[in-house]
Amino acid sequence: MSSRSLSAILLLLGAFVATCHASNGDRTQFFHNCRQNCERTNCSADGLEIQEQAVKFYKQSVFDRLFQWSCADECQYGCMWRTVLAFFERGWPIPQFYGKWPFLRLLGMQEPASVIFSGLNFAVHLRLLRKFRREVRPDSPCYMLTHIFAVTSLNGWVWSAIFHTRDFPLTELLDYAFAYSIILCSLYVMVMRMLHRYSLFLRGVISLAFLSYYINYFAYLSVGRFNYSFNMMVNVATGVVAAVGWFVWCHFVRTRRPYFRRILRFYVLMALAMSLELLDFPPILWILDAHALWHLATVPLASLYYDFMIEDCRTLRKEKVAAGGYAFYN
């Protein structure tokens, strides 16, 4: 089990610290000139009339207008594909633009595969939360912990879908902030699970500390210059601490809680899924990239987490009833 734990941690680290390729597409003079000429021709006049005419020229769909694709955005999108074609004709590798691969826009969505898979994750968490509520009594220990994790995950996947639909500074901020909230919440659940039989005061103080830390981190992401490397390191550290905590717990309870394998499998497979990010490659059919595959891989893994919590809550309640109070077990 220790070797598996080590492998999972190493994969988790590798997946998070993988660096993005240079955005050689938007740095070319070809792209710069194309975009500048397009905007000067179509988007630089005063008033909205020329903007509306330019938008009609690009034959925007109702979804493009709904997701606020402006004339300048259309110029950037069109010049991106002209640059990709120029690279292709010269036999050069497919370029990235502003840190991202070129994606084919679908129904107004910048990265349609990631949007769809984020939506699938949302649907799975919602379904599993309902399953948890059906199968676990509200008076079970740690009952609310699962709800906190589920609501945090649902919120995170909503903003993931929004960000991949349209990449604005605000949607980017909320995607990063709420993605981290899921990782931090997994650590919080681990800590609260270990302390579930301790005093309400102690658990309240720790909960307040977690909340205060997250608010401060959200403020850090919101002001000043965003540091991607530091944010990655924080995500890695938080995820690794949560995983190690569960691995240690699994080691100590392996003889009396056979369902420990579910949470162990969850973190090991989650680390393997995250390693897909290392396979950074141009999108298949200009839609499906490694990041989208990572979102797809997380869809079936959620059931392992909720199944563990269902069995754990049931077991803790049985022990609590049998002992006439809280069990003296971990």
Side-chain angles (χ1 to χ4, degrees):
M1 182 165 58
S2 59
S3 61
R4 289 181 182 178
S5 303
L6 180 59
S7 299
I9 295 169
L10 290 176
L11 285 169
L12 184 64
L13 283 167
F16 272 110
V17 301
T19 57
C20 297
H21 293 305
S23 303
N24 49 337
D26 60 272
R27 292 175 183 171
T28 61
Q29 193 64 37
F30 181 92
F31 176 83
H32 177 75
N33 291 341
C34 175
R35 183 176 179 181
Q36 190 175 53
N37 292 335
C38 178
E39 292 184 5
R40 184 187 300 115
T41 303
N42 299 303
C43 311
S44 59
D46 294 333
L48 294 176
E49 183 177 357
I50 188 68
Q51 291 278 356
E52 293 173 356
Q53 292 174 354
V55 163
K56 290 179 181 178
F57 172 78
Y58 287 109
K59 298 179 180 179
Q60 284 194 328
S61 69
V62 63
F63 298 101
D64 297 327
R65 294 191 292 272
L66 177 65
F67 296 130
Q68 300 181 11
W69 284 86
S70 67
C71 180
D73 293 330
E74 294 289 1
C75 284
Q76 178 177 315
Y77 182 75
C79 290
M80 176 185 73
W81 288 114
R82 293 189 184 97
T83 305
V84 170
L85 180 60
F87 271 61
F88 181 77
E89 290 175 343
R90 291 162 176 76
W92 298 346
I94 296 172
Q96 288 190 336
F97 297 83
Y98 304 103
K100 293 185 176 183
W101 292 109
F103 288 93
L104 187 65
R105 193 168 78 201
L106 180 64
L107 301 178
M109 298 181 290
Q110 280 182 272
E111 301 174 46
S114 291
V115 174
I116 293 170
F117 298 151
S118 294
L120 284 176
N121 275 282
F122 177 90
V124 166
H125 278 273
L126 184 60
R127 180 181 65 82
L128 291 171
L129 175 60
R130 289 173 176 171
K131 177 184 177 182
F132 178 86
R133 291 173 64 88
R134 287 195 309 267
E135 300 186 12
V136 177
R137 292 173 59 104
D139 61 343
S140 302
C142 302
Y143 179 83
M144 287 306 300
L145 281 181
T146 303
H147 284 73
I148 294 172
F149 176 78
V151 171
T152 303
S153 298
L154 290 170
N155 179 66
W157 286 115
V158 165
W159 287 104
S160 173
I162 292 174
F163 168 67
H164 290 300
T165 298
R166 283 296 271 131
D167 180 1
F168 295 120
L170 178 60
T171 59
E172 181 184 41
L173 166 66
L174 296 177
D175 175 57
Y176 276 95
F178 291 129
Y180 179 62
S181 72
I182 299 176
I183 299 175
L184 183 64
C185 188
S186 69
L187 174 61
Y188 171 76
V189 170
M190 184 273 294
V191 172
M192 290 295 102
R193 168 59 182 83
M194 307 310 163
L195 302 177
H196 75 94
R197 62 187 178 87
Y198 284 77
S199 70
L200 181 61
F201 175 77
L202 175 63
R203 286 178 285 149
V205 169
I206 294 176
S207 298
L208 188 60
F210 268 89
L211 180 60
S212 176
Y213 164 75
Y214 179 72
I215 291 173
N216 278 276
Y217 192 75
F218 190 98
Y220 158 75
L221 295 178
S222 304
V223 298
R225 185 177 179 180
F226 183 78
N227 190 321
Y228 289 91
S229 298
F230 180 73
N231 182 61
M232 283 184 181
M233 291 188 338
V234 172
N235 278 266
V236 169
T238 306
V240 168
V241 171
V244 170
W246 280 117
F247 293 155
V248 171
W249 180 85
C250 290
H251 174 74
F252 284 107
V253 304
R254 64 188 184 280
T255 57
R256 62 177 180 272
R257 299 198 187 282
Y259 58 87
F260 79 90
R261 293 182 180 85
R262 294 174 185 173
I263 195 67
L264 186 63
R265 289 193 197 105
F266 171 78
Y267 275 98
V268 171
L269 293 175
M270 185 64 73
L272 290 172
M274 286 182 178
S275 67
L276 288 170
E277 295 275 28
L278 295 175
L279 304 177
D280 195 24
F281 53 81
I284 300 171
L285 300 177
W286 306 112
I287 291 178
L288 190 65
D289 70 329
H291 186 73
L293 289 176
W294 139 242
H295 283 332
L296 177 61
T298 60
V299 172
L301 300 184
S303 62
L304 287 172
Y305 190 93
Y306 285 88
D307 286 347
F308 166 80
M309 293 302 293
I310 288 172
E311 190 64 29
D312 194 46
C313 286
R314 284 174 169 176
T315 302
L316 290 176
R317 186 179 183 280
K318 289 177 182 177
E319 293 174 347
K320 178 182 176 181
V321 171
Y326 282 102
F328 293 96
Y329 298 106
N330 292 321

